[in-house]
Amino acid sequence: MKLIVAVVQDKDAIKLIEALMVRGYRTTKLASTGGFLKEGNTTLLAGVDDSQVSEVMGIIRKTCKSREQLVTPLTPVGGPVDSYVPYPVEVVVGGATVFVLSVDKFEKV
Ligand code: 2BA
């Protein structure tokens, strides 16, 4: 068994949960925050059989879109001000950041 941990954008989360649910996959949705943007995102947990990993990855690929986002860099505190760029820069976020972990034991009690 594998545990799929997928960090996705909030905009894609509900669509992804529904797409997985209609294919019979159970998920747990966690509210999370990206360390870089400090903005909300969604972390989904899905426990699946080894043979189902590629189907789930396909659904994630199809559902989660990458988007460009403007970020204003933080003003450096005590750092060199002359190299500070005060205007927003563009980063590409998503589709999804996915970790596939081996599960030693799965039990419902
Ligand atoms: P954030 O950490 O808020 O990052 C949002 C986006 O900012 C990233 O998109 C990336 O394009 C950019 N970014 C992140 N760190 C950067 C840096 N040090 N310098 C320049 N740009 C940077 P994604 O790569 O698609 O990541 C989306 C979210 O997935 C992340 O939100 C974070 O919550 C999660 N994530 C990504 N990689 C991870 C990892 N190795 N471990 C744990 N979570 C991760």
Side-chain angles (χ1 to χ4, degrees), residues 58-81:
I59 296 170
I60 294 172
R61 270 193 205 98
K62 222 162 66 181
T63 313
C64 296
K65 310 258 176 288
S66 63
R67 299 179 178 91
E68 290 179 354
Q69 200 163 323
L70 285 176
V71 186
T72 308
L74 296 172
T75 317
V77 180
V81 180

Side-chain angles (χ1 to χ4, degrees), residues 7 34-37 41 91-94 97 99:
V7 184
F36 186 68
L37 295 181
N41 54 28
V91 293
V92 178
V93 186
T97 301
F99 304 87

